[in-house]
Every structure is written in structure tokens, then in C-alpha cells.
Amino acid sequence: MHRKVTKAVFPVAGLGTRFLPATKSVPKEIMTLVDKPLIQYAIDEARAAGIEDFIFVTSRGKSALEDYFDVAPDLEAALGASGKTALLDILRSTNMESGTIAYLRQHKALGLGHAVSCASKMIGDEPFAVILPDDVIAAERPCLQQMVEAYQETGGAMVATMQVAPEKTSSYGVLDVAKEDGPIVSVKGMVEKPAAGTAPSNLAVIGRYILTPQILANLDTVTRGAGGEIQLTDAIAAEIEAGRDVFGYRFEGHRYDCGSKAGFLQATVAFALARDDLRDEFAEFLAETHAARHTAP
Ligand code: G1P
């Protein structure tokens, strides 16, 4: 048995410029799919995987996130007084117990690897998870839970992975595959955002990681990589070079790239259609809209 993973880091310092003007005053992670902020999906997934300590790496302008996870006594009292117990339950499910959630600021936008290394002292000497809230994964068994279970067998470091179209590989970290055994992929190299035509495979890194403290140490020494940033991928690749195990995990589920407008819209439609209270009316609307587009002059 490998040590239990109980801490997760949520890098949420990005400016979200792709969603301007919305992100001028609202952190990207608070943007909602139907009625739940992106960050809540990430938290729910982490909880399902047994995470107990939640570490947010934030930046200036992200304080709405802290308010979101705080208790809202006035709102709770008002809902309680009017007997709206279902809404009260929903509201309470978003509260985080004091002491289980920590926020620290990344003072300079030096990249994902740097953001994770900011949490180094809080993680200490144990394996930990990283969740990128932009990657929303709809799955029967939440993705991180699938990985935590696999990690109990493998140990080492593990990244979620899925196949992407060859022309998309330059947007991702990409795995150099040694061997595949069911969903578990042994990795012999990793490249962040390879130039077109140079990717070692079509297996892209998706934003769920189980990492070792050694990777935090690697982050202190890796040089700036793709885009001039300190890349998490490079610190994981350094593990392979040091002869330690790194695995990809081909998760079951559908991943939505909510860092892009198209992905965000797709997730919105899919999540709305998955809701009993919205499905029928929304499906009818979609069908009508689709038909109208095809008959327009
Ligand atoms: C980050 C990682 C990349 C990974 C991707 C998944 O890139 O650096 O390795 O494939 O997330 O979403 P970003 O999308 O922040 O550029």
C-alpha cells in the first residue's frame, strides 16, 4: 500500500483572459456550468477521492473564491426562515470547514510548475493531488478517484491522460509511451507543448495529477521551459530521467476543456441535458434552434 493522498492543490491564479470581459471582475473558476461554479466540480471530485486538505494557489483579484467557500449566515438564515430546505442543503454543501482550506498567493505568473511549488511547504513530505479546474471531467466514478485507486497499486507519479487529435498535441503536455497495460501507461518521457509534428504520441496530459514530494524538489531546479514558464511537465519528466516511475492513467469519462469557449459551451449543453429538471425543455429548444439554422435563407 502506498501512502494515502489527502491533500490537493488547485492552481487558480490565472487571469482567465480568454473569457474577458466576464473575467474582469469574476474569477474564471466561479463561472458556472448550469448553476455550479467550475471550482465546485473540482472540489466535489477531490472529496470523492478522499481529499481532506484543499490548497488554493490564487492571485490578486481572486478573493471572490474565498467568499464562495465561506459560510453565508444571512443567506442561510433567510432560506431557513422561509423553509427552503432543499436550497439550504445545496448552499451548505459548498461550505468548507475552517482549517481544511488554505489560500496562498502566487506573486508572479511564472507558470503552472511555479504555482504548484508555491504550495510546497503546506504539502510537506507526502504524495498529493493537483486538479486543474479548467478540465471538467464527467464520469460515473470521478476521475481523481479512479487515479487514487490505481495509484494504490502503482505508486510513483501519475497524470491523467487521453488521446487527442494529432493537430492538438501542441496545446498539451504529451506522453512518450513505454508500455500500456489496460488504463495504465508507463511513461518514458514527457514534453510540454511539443512543436507541431514532433509529439512523441497522441496521449495528452489532462489536468489531474498525483505527485510525489520529489517533484516539488525538482520544481526548484527545473529551468524555464515552454512559453518561458516553469512547467510542471518538466518536473515530472525529471523523475523519469532520475529512474523513478511515472504513469499515465487513461481515465473513463468525458473531459471538457472549460478553459476554451467552445469547451465551456459544450460542457454547459451536456450538463444541462443531464439534468432531470432541465432536459426536456432544453432538448426541445436545441432541436428547434438547430432546425431553424438549417432552414434559414
Ligand atoms: C496545462 C499543462 C499541460 C496539460 C494541460 C491540460 O496546460 O501545462 O501539460 O496538458 O494543462 O489541460 P495549459 O492548458 O495550462 O496551457
Side-chain angles (χ1 to χ4, degrees), residues 112 132 135 172-173 192-193 205-207 209 231 233 255:
L112 176 61
L132 309 186
D135 282 331
Y172 294 93
E192 180 67 16
K193 307 210 166 71
V205 176
I206 300 303
Y209 306 76
Q231 295 292 352
T233 300
R255 172 257 187 178

Side-chain angles (χ1 to χ4, degrees), residues 25-258:
S25 68
V26 179
K28 175 177 66 169
E29 298 77 16
I30 298 276
M31 287 173 41
T32 58
L33 294 177
V34 187
D35 51 14
K36 207 158 88 169
L38 283 185
I39 195 65
Q40 187 68 50
Y41 290 93
I43 294 285
D44 291 347
E45 185 178 331
R47 276 193 178 133
I51 298 299
E52 294 164 6
D53 293 313
F54 303 80
I55 304 165
F56 284 77
V57 182
T58 73
S59 60
R60 184 174 289 275
K62 295 279 180 151
S63 40
L65 273 169
E66 297 182 37
D67 290 340
Y68 175 78
F69 288 118
D70 203 348
V71 289
D74 295 348
L75 197 49
E76 284 192 19
L79 291 175
S82 52
K84 295 188 170 147
T85 48
L87 283 178
L88 195 56
D89 287 346
I90 292 174
L91 186 65
R92 288 200 173 131
S93 72
T94 65
N95 295 348
M96 302 287 279
E97 234 173 275
S98 305
T100 62
I101 189 161
Y103 305 90
L104 50 93
R105 281 198 181 185
Q106 181 188 22
H107 291 150
K108 287 185 187 161
L110 295 178
L112 176 61
H114 178 258
V116 171
S117 77
C118 290
S120 217
K121 283 210 175 89
M122 302 192 84
I123 290 158
D125 192 27
E126 54 186 284
F128 62 100
V130 176
I131 295 190
L132 309 186
D134 274 359
D135 282 331
V136 174
I137 302 175
E140 228 165 88
R141 215 157 36 102
C143 178
L144 190 64
Q145 187 186 344
Q146 296 175 36
M147 290 172 69
V148 162
E149 285 168 18
Y151 166 82
Q152 286 305 322
E153 306 293 322
T154 61
M158 186 177 275
V159 301
T161 186
M162 69 178 225
Q163 211 140 28
V164 298
E167 67 275 15
K168 294 276 171 74
T169 48
S170 55
S171 303
Y172 294 93
V174 180
L175 305 185
D176 192 355
V177 177
K179 193 171 101 206
E180 295 203 41
D181 180 9
I184 295 172
V185 182
S186 299
V187 178
K188 61 176 184 216
M190 273 172 86
V191 199
E192 180 67 16
K193 307 210 166 71
T198 69
S201 77
N202 291 346
L203 279 182
V205 176
I206 300 303
R208 303 289 183 276
Y209 306 76
I210 296 176
L211 302 178
T212 59
Q214 185 59 46
I215 290 170
L216 296 173
N218 299 349
L219 281 168
D220 288 339
T221 53
V222 291
T223 50
R224 292 189 187 214
E229 296 186 336
I230 298 180
Q231 295 292 352
L232 188 55
T233 300
D234 295 343
I236 302 171
E239 285 297 276
I240 305 169
E241 282 142 35
R244 287 184 284 269
D245 286 343
V246 173
F247 301 97
Y249 186 82
R250 294 176 74 136
F251 57 93
E252 280 170 24
H254 191 103
R255 172 257 187 178
Y256 296 92
D257 174 12
C258 292

Side-chain angles (χ1 to χ4, degrees), residues 11-25:
V12 291
L15 295 175
T17 48
R18 277 198 254 176
F19 285 94
L20 277 171
T23 46
K24 186 179 172 196
S25 68

